[in-house]
Each structure stands twice: as structure tokens, then as C-alpha cells.
């Protein structure tokens, strides 16, 4: 489309002043739209246009003036000689040196420096100031004061407070404790809702992690050290129960009443076996029974604790078992503590009963309440009963090798520390827990911690060695933590402890040998006099002890005397009565008018 | 004056255990020495730079402080350095043990 618009102006009017005036718009030309052209065009839909609405920015770099560094090395052989002095020339260097020496300040400065220097030289000559003293002496370990602190307290959750009878730490590093309560008063009336035992987590003393609810009370309970979910418990009515914590709070299986014990089960322990499911239990009725958790209908084996040397073992002669001991490193042997103070060391593999019960130790005047071998010295074991704790060696059968003095309160339980081999704990019935360390003091307890006002009944050590749980008569369980010097052994401890035990064992053996000699001498002396007296002595064989005979005679003499006096008194009274009766007739006549 | 200095230095040299004495100026030039040249040059170069560094350490930690004496004890002997603004006195001694 061509459009031109010529604009004319006369030459004579060039440069003339412009006269402006209003003029309306004039249409010069218009080109209407024609559809013919539209064929050459394509409609564009949609139309993409970019729109930006922001500040206009520009990038620009500047840098300040920087110092240029370059690394250069210089090999400096000899001092900063000034340029005019040739180093090689000795004459010049000498001259330069002399010049420096002549300098005024040289003398002054040198005087000062020499004075200081001389001081130090003489010091060095006098004494070696850097001498190390005591280099070959080992630093002695600082003696830490022994401390114990109560970490946590767990209360018996039932309304009727029952004493704690046994506790067991869970095998997973001891994060949980299971506590069983039982009222051991003979034939006490206990309702069924008070049969609970509790699994506590150490951090949470408010609620037990789990409440175990057996149909009868549990007297003792143990975790299986290899499997932390299975437990066995001995019940008050003589049965044993198997639990699995995953299956709930009722026992999984029970032993049959007919084959179980007839008295409360005092102690129950897992033993080493291929299947890991065997355990044995001991009770006051004098029998030990071995069980397998998979087959609870029958015990695997029964042993009657009849210590007499007769052929037949009978339950009427049996001694009640109060505590059992089993060390996993000696799988076929175990020990039984009885209620009359004997400890019997037994071998499971023996065929006849007297082979099974190998050795007997007369330990205490009452039931043996605790029996444990030392973890490092398995030949030595600790027994606790009546008012003392005694340490025995398997070799010395007549007496203990070490013992504590008689306490004012009865001791109820004791245990060795599993980590520090010279430490053992005893629980007393005045609420005090004593810690004994054989390496520190053998005559008195290292520390005694007053835990509660009620008597303490049981204690159990954690396998880590720092914690110990203690239970008391009203059902409260305390977790106590001890300081390092009571929990960890030093390097020499084992050697020192071996020396202590050996020394005591040797002393006891010597005494034993001496006693045996004396007895032998007495026996030979007696047998020679017996031969002489045999004709005289007929059938009075029951008591030969002269003291007893004399006491008997005295006793009977006194009795005869008393009876004679009584008879005389009676006769006198009768006589008096007769007289009164006779007199009474007279008086009656007088009274009656 | 210089005689006294000579005497003092001779006295120092004659003390028990003293192996050698060197006086170095601030440029690092050994002015006086009782040891042979190579050893002297070695000592003066190394010890001057060490003394400078030590002084700068002391002054950096506390600008009001200054280095008074420097002792380097090694297995074989002890090097004692008495520094000054212009000169350094170095004495090597075998301490009695």
C-alpha cells in the first residue's frame, strides 16, 4: 500500500514566523480492511508474551588494591654482612669485627649480658634443675572414700505389706528386677489377690513394668540367664511354675501337685543343659527335684537330703533345704544349704546317694540363709546364717577359713560382688547393709549403710557390680549404687586375695591335722581302758559320759526329795482337815441355838 | 673497658662444662667466638632467628613483657642465650648430672 502526502511551502515563505492556529482533524486517507488480504495471514492463538515486573539490576565487580605476595627463598650463609665487606676476605671481616667491638655501647651491653649468663652457668654447675625425681615410682592410686547411695525405692503395691522373699535381675545387663513377695508365716491367712510379684524397671519406681499373678504365692523366682523372657518360680504350696513374660502375667506351665514338693519351695536355680530348659528346686520338705520346662508333669530326678549313711533314703530323716547353690562353670556339682546349718556339697553324676552327697560342712547354728561361691575363686564359698558370715574352702571340712564376729542382729542374706572379688555384702535384720572388703579390713565391715528401719530380708547383686537390690520385711525394695573402689578390681587384687585365702586355708588345715592327732590319741587311750572295763560294763551303753551320768543322778535325787516333801505336806494337810472337820462339828453345835 | 670484657668472657669460658661462647650482633654477624667458624656461623644464624621468634612470642602475649633469657636444654648440652636489642650472647654448656 503506497501512501504519500506531499507538503508544499513556497520558497518566499521560508524562514517566516510560524503562526499557530487550531484546526480540527482532517482525514487524509483510510485503508479499510479487506478479506482478500487475510488469506496471507494465519491467526495466532494463544499468544505467549513474557512480562517482568521487577527492579532493574545490574551486576558489577570491583576489588580493592591488594598487595602482591610472592614466595622467594634466599640462602643465607653467613650473617648480614654489609655490602662493602667481602665475606671471603678475612682481613676485612676482622676489621669489621674490631670496629663493632670498639663501639661504646658494646662494653656496657656485654657487661650486663655476661652477668646474667654467669648466673645461669653457675646455677647449672651447682644443681641439675631439670632432674626428674621419683621417675621409677608408680603413682599410687588415690584412696577414694567408699560411698553408697540409694538409686531407687520400689514399694509393695498391694495393700497388705508382705516381706520380700526373692529378687532376680534380668540378664540383659540388669535393667529390670523381678521381686517376689510372700508371707512366710506358717499357715497365715492370705487372700488370693495378694499373690502378686512385680517386674520393675530401674528407672520407673512408680508403676511396675509388669505384675505377675500366680494362683499361689511365689517364694522364689529366677530369670533364665540365657533367655531373658523365661522365668521359673517356686510356689508356697510346693509347686514350681514356668513363666514367659511375653505370654502374659499368668504362668505358662505348672508342675503337677502330686509330684511337687510338700512344703514351700525355698530355692530354685537354672542349670547348664544342652537345651537350656532345665532347673532344679529345693524345699523345706528335704527333697531336691530336677525339672525340664518342656515336661512339667514329672521331675527328671529327685534327691532326698538324708545325710545319714543308711542304705535307704527316707524323707523322715531328711534335712530341709533352705538355699541352693549352682555355679555355671562347674556344671555337675552343686551345693545345698540346709535348715539345721549344714552345707552339703553334691555331685549330680553320683550313682549311689552317698556318692551324690560328697561332703558336709557344719556351718551355722540355724538355717543357712545364703550360700555362694566366689566368682574368681570357686573353691571358696560364703555362707550366711545366724549372726555371722563365714567363708569356707572346699578343702577344709571342719571349720571355716574366715568368719566375721557375732553381730548384734541376725544376718539374713549375703552375696559376693561379681566384679570386685574381695567384696561381699551382708544384710542384717536391723536394716543395715554391710559391705566387707577383705583387702581393706578383715575385722570390720568397710561401710555399713542403714537402708531401712525394718529388717532386711534379701539382697541380690547386679552382674555389672555397681548396683545391688535389697528387700525388707515390709516389701520395699531398694536399689543401692556403690562407689568405684567397691565395684572394680585392681590389677593386684586377685593375687593378694589368693594369698589371703591360701594362708587361711593352710592355717585351718594345720589346725585340722592337729585336732585329728589329738582325737586319735584320745581314742587309743580310751580303747585301752575300755578293754579293762568291758567286764564291768554290761548294758548301760547309752550314755558313757560321766558328766551326764552325774547330772542324771543329781536330777533324780532332787526329784525324789521334792516329792517326799510334797507328800509330807499333803499328809499334814489331811491331818489338819480331819482335825477341822472334828472341830467343825463342835462349832456347829455351838452356833445352832 | 674492653679489657674487663675480655676478662669476663675468659672467665665465662673457663667455667666448668662450658663448651663455647659466641657474641652475635643484630645483623647476625658473629662478633666474637671461641668455636670454629662453621659451627659459629651455624649457631649464630639459627640461634638469632630463634631468639627473635621467642621475643616476638613473649611480646605478642603481653606487649609490656620482654624476653630476658632463653635456655634450650637438649640431651647432650644446654644452650643459653642472653638477648639484647643489639647483641646476643650465646653460651653452650654441658650441665653436670
Amino acid at each position: 500500500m503506497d501512501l504519500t502526502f506531499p507538503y508544499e511551502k513556497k520558497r518566499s515563505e521560508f524562514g517566516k514566523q510560524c503562526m499557530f492556529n487550531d484546526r480540527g482533524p482532517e482525514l487524509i486517507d483510510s485503508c479499510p480492511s479487506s478479506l482478500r488480504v487475510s488469506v496471507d495471514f494465519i491467526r495466532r492463538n494463544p499468544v505467549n508474551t513474557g512480562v517482568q515486573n521487577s527492579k532493574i539490576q545490574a551486576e558489577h565487580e570491583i576489588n580493592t588494591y591488594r598487595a602482591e605476595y610472592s614466595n622467594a627463598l634466599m640462602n643465607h650463609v653467613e650473617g648480614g654482612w654489609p655490602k662493602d665487606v667481602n665475606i671471603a676476605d678475612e682481613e676485612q671481616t676482622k676489621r669489621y669485627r674490631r670496629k663493632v667491638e670498639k663501639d661504646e655501647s658494646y662494653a656496657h651491653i656485654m657487661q650486663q649480658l655476661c652477668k646474667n649468663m654467669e648466673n645461669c652457668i653457675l646455677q647449672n654447675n651447682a644443681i641439675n634443675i631439670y632432674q626428674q625425681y621419683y621417675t621409677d615410682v608408680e603413682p599410687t592410686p588415690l584412696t577414694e572414700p567408699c560411698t553408697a547411695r540409694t538409686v531407687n525405692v520400689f514399694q509393695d503395691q498391694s495393700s497388705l505389706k508382705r516381706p520380700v522373699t526373692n529378687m532376680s535381675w534380668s540378664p540383659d545387663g540388669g535393667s529390670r528386677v523381678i521381686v517376689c513377695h510372700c508371707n512366710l508365716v506358717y499357715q497365715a491367712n492370705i487372700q488370693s489377690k495378694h499373690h502378686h510379684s512385680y517386674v520393675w524397671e530401674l528407672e520407673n519406681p512408680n508403676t511396675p513394668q509388669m505384675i505377675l499373678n500366680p494362683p499361689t504365692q511365689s517364694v522364689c523366682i529366677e530369670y533364665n540367664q540365657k533367655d531373658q523372657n523365661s522365668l521359673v518360680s517356686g510356689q508356697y504350696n510346693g509347686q514350681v511354675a514356668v513363666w514367659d513374660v511375653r505370654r502374659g502375667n499368668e504362668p505358662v506351665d505348672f508342675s503337677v501337685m502330686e509330684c511337687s514338693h510338700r512344703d514351700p519351695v525355698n530355692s530354685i536355680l537354672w542349670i547348664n543343659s544342652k537345651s537350656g530348659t532345665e532347673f532344679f528346686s529345693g524345699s523345706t520338705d528335704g527333697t531336691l527335684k530336677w525339672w525340664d520346662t518342656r515336661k512339667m508333669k514329672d521331675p527328671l530326678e529327685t534327691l532326698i537330703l538324708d545325710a545319714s549313711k543308711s542304705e535307704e533314703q527316707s524323707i523322715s530323716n531328711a534335712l530341709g533345704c533352705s538355699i541352693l547353690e549352682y555355679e555355671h562353670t562347674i556344671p555337675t556339682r552343686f551345693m545345698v544349704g540346709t535348715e539345721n546349718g549344714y552345707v552339703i556339697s553334691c555331685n549330680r553324676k553320683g550313682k549311689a546317694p552317698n556318692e551324690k552327697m560328697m561332703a558336709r560342712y557344719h556351718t551355722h547354728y540355724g538355717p543357712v540363709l545364703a550360700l555362694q561361691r566366689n566368682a574368681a575363686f570357686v573353691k571358696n564359698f560364703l555362707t550366711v546364717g545366724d549372726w555371722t558370715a563365714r567363708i569356707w574352702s572346699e578343702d577344709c571340712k571342719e571349720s571355716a577359713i574366715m568368719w566375721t564376729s557375732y553381730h548384734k542382729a541376725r544376718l539374713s542374706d549375703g552375696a559376693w560382688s561379681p566384679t570386685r572379688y574381695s567384696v561381699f555384702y551382708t544384710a542384717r535384720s536391723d536394716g543395715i547393709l554391710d559391705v566387707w572388703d577383705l583387702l581393706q579390713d578383715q575385722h570390720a565391715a568397710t561401710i555399713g549403710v542403714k537402708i531401712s528401719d525394718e529388717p532386711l530380708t534379701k539382697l541380690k547383686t547386679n552382674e555389672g557390680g555397681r548396683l545391688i537390690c535389697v528387700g525388707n520385711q515390709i516389701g520395699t525394695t531398694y536399689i543401692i549404687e556403690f562407689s568405684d573402689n567397691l565395684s572394680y578390681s585392681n590389677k593386684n587384687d586377685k593375687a593378694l586375695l589368693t594369698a589371703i585365702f591360701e594362708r587361711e586355708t593352710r592355717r585351718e588345715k594345720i589346725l585340722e591335722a592337729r585336732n585329728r592327732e589329738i582325737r586319735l590319741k584320745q581314742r587309743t587311750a580310751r580303747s585301752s581302758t575300755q578293754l579293762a572295763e568291758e567286764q564291768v560294763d554290761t548294758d548301760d551303753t547309752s550314755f558313757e559320759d560321766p558328766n551326764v551320768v552325774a547330772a542324771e543322778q543329781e536330777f533324780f535325787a532332787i526329784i525324789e526329795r521334792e516329792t517326799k516333801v510334797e507328800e509330807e505336806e499333803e499328809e499334814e494337810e489331811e491331818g489338819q482337815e480331819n482335825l477341822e472337820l472334828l472341830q467343825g462339828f463342835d462349832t456347829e453345835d455351838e452356833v445352832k441355838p | 673497658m674492653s679489657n674487663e670484657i675480655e676478662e669476663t668472657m675468659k672467665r665465662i669460658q673457663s667455667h666448668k662444662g662450658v663448651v663455647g661462647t659466641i657474641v652475635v650482633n643484630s645483623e647476625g654477624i658473629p662478633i666474637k667466638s671461641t668455636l670454629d667458624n662453621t659451627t659459629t656461623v651455624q649457631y649464630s644464624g639459627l640461634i638469632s632467628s630463634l631468639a627473635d621468634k621467642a621475643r616476638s612470642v613473649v611480646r605478642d602475649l603481653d606487649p609490656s613483657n620482654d624476653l630476658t633469657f632463653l635456655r634450650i636444654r637438649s640431651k647432650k648440652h644446654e644452650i643459653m642465650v642472653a638477648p639484647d636489642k643489639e647483641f646476643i650472647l650465646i653460651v653452650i654448656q654441658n650441665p653436670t648430672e
Side-chain angles (χ1 to χ4, degrees), chain A residues 253-266:
Chain A
D253 204 355
F254 268 106
S255 63
V256 175
M257 275 303 303
E258 290 81 9
C259 320
S260 309
H261 295 277
R262 301 183 198 164
D263 269 343
V265 177
N266 267 328

Side-chain angles (χ1 to χ4, degrees), chain A residues 77-81 96-97 100-101 106-107 109 111 114 117-118 120-125 128 130, chain B residues 4-5 8 11 15-16 27-32 41 69 71 73 78 80 84 87 89 91 93 96-97:
Chain A
V77 174
E78 232 201 77
W81 291 101
Y96 183 79
R97 284 198 181 107
V100 172
E101 281 177 25
Y106 179 76
I109 295 167
Q111 244 181 2
C114 285
M117 184 61 75
E118 229 181 327
C120 290
I121 294 176
L122 292 172
Q123 213 178 51
N124 260 347
N125 281 336
N128 179 5
Y130 294 107
Chain B
E4 281 183 28
I5 301 302
T8 317
R11 202 175 59 232
H15 275 308
K16 181 164 158 221
E27 314 261 314
I29 306 171
I31 303 297
K32 207 175 205 52
V41 165
F69 205 82
R71 253 170 146 162
R73 197 181 187 92
E78 182 165 355
M80 289 172 280
D84 181 79
F87 297 98
L89 173 63
V91 172
Q93 187 192 20
T96 48
E97 282 181 51

Side-chain angles (χ1 to χ4, degrees), chain A residues 75 301 324 351 376 510 516 569:
Chain A
N75 191 10
E301 200 183 325
L324 293 171
K351 302 268 183 313
I510 292 174
R516 229 178 296 149
E569 279 180 9

Side-chain angles (χ1 to χ4, degrees), chain A residues 549-586:
Chain A
V549 170
E552 266 191 354
Q553 286 175 343
E554 214 181 310
F555 177 66
F556 283 128
I558 293 174
I559 294 225
E560 278 172 33
R561 234 184 301 139
E562 290 298 311
T563 45
K564 244 188 250 157
V565 169
E566 271 190 21
E567 279 172 20
E568 282 171 15
E569 279 180 9
E570 274 185 22
E571 283 178 14
E572 277 184 32
E573 277 187 17
E574 274 181 34
Q576 281 244 326
E577 277 182 11
N578 287 336
L579 282 174
E580 276 176 16
L581 279 171
L582 291 172
Q583 281 177 358
F585 282 130
D586 291 350

Side-chain angles (χ1 to χ4, degrees), chain A residues 541-553:
Chain A
T541 50
S542 50
F543 283 117
E544 292 181 350
D545 191 353
N547 290 333
V548 178
V549 170
E552 266 191 354
Q553 286 175 343

Side-chain angles (χ1 to χ4, degrees), chain A residues 223-384:
Chain A
Y223 263 104
N224 186 351
Q225 292 299 320
K226 300 203 177 86
D227 172 14
Q228 53 169 301
N229 288 315
S230 71
L231 314 152
V232 275
S233 72
Q235 309 293 110
Y236 188 64
N237 61 351
Q239 286 178 308
V240 292
V242 181
W243 307 73
D244 188 334
V245 255
R246 296 167 293 198
R247 295 260 291 264
N249 56 356
E250 298 267 331
V252 168
D253 204 355
F254 268 106
S255 63
V256 175
M257 275 303 303
E258 290 81 9
C259 320
S260 309
H261 295 277
R262 301 183 198 164
D263 269 343
V265 177
N266 267 328
S267 188
I268 194 164
L269 284 178
W270 290 90
I271 58 178
N272 265 358
S273 66
K274 280 201 238 14
S275 57
T277 54
E278 291 185 15
F279 59 95
F280 71 132
S281 60
S283 137
T284 333
D285 65 359
T287 54
L288 299 175
K289 292 186 194 280
W290 278 263
W291 310 83
D292 187 331
T293 56
R294 297 167 294 190
K295 190 172 74 86
M296 292 295 281
K297 274 197 317 173
D298 256 325
L300 294 171
E301 200 183 325
T302 306
L303 172 67
I304 299 180
L305 285 177
D306 184 359
S308 64
K309 301 277 194 287
S310 61
E311 292 289 319
E312 274 297 312
Q313 300 269 306
S314 75
I315 286 204
S316 46
N317 285 345
L319 310 162
C321 148
S322 58
I323 191 111
L324 293 171
E325 189 274 339
Y326 181 74
E327 173 73 38
H328 283 268
T329 50
I330 322 176
T332 56
R333 306 222 335 248
F334 61 95
M335 294 205 284
V336 183
T338 61
E339 291 208 323
N340 60 350
Y342 284 104
V343 168
I344 305 179
S345 158
C346 311
N347 189 341
R348 199 162 165 211
K349 291 269 186 289
K351 302 268 183 313
N354 40 350
E355 265 175 55
K356 280 211 164 190
M357 303 202 273
M358 297 187 320
R360 231 163 39 134
Y361 307 87
H362 187 170
T363 53
H364 289 281
Y365 296 118
V368 180
L369 295 171
L371 176 60
Q372 196 188 20
R373 288 185 198 263
N374 191 332
F377 300 93
V378 280
K379 278 194 149 212
N380 298 306
F381 56 94
L382 168 76
T383 62
V384 170

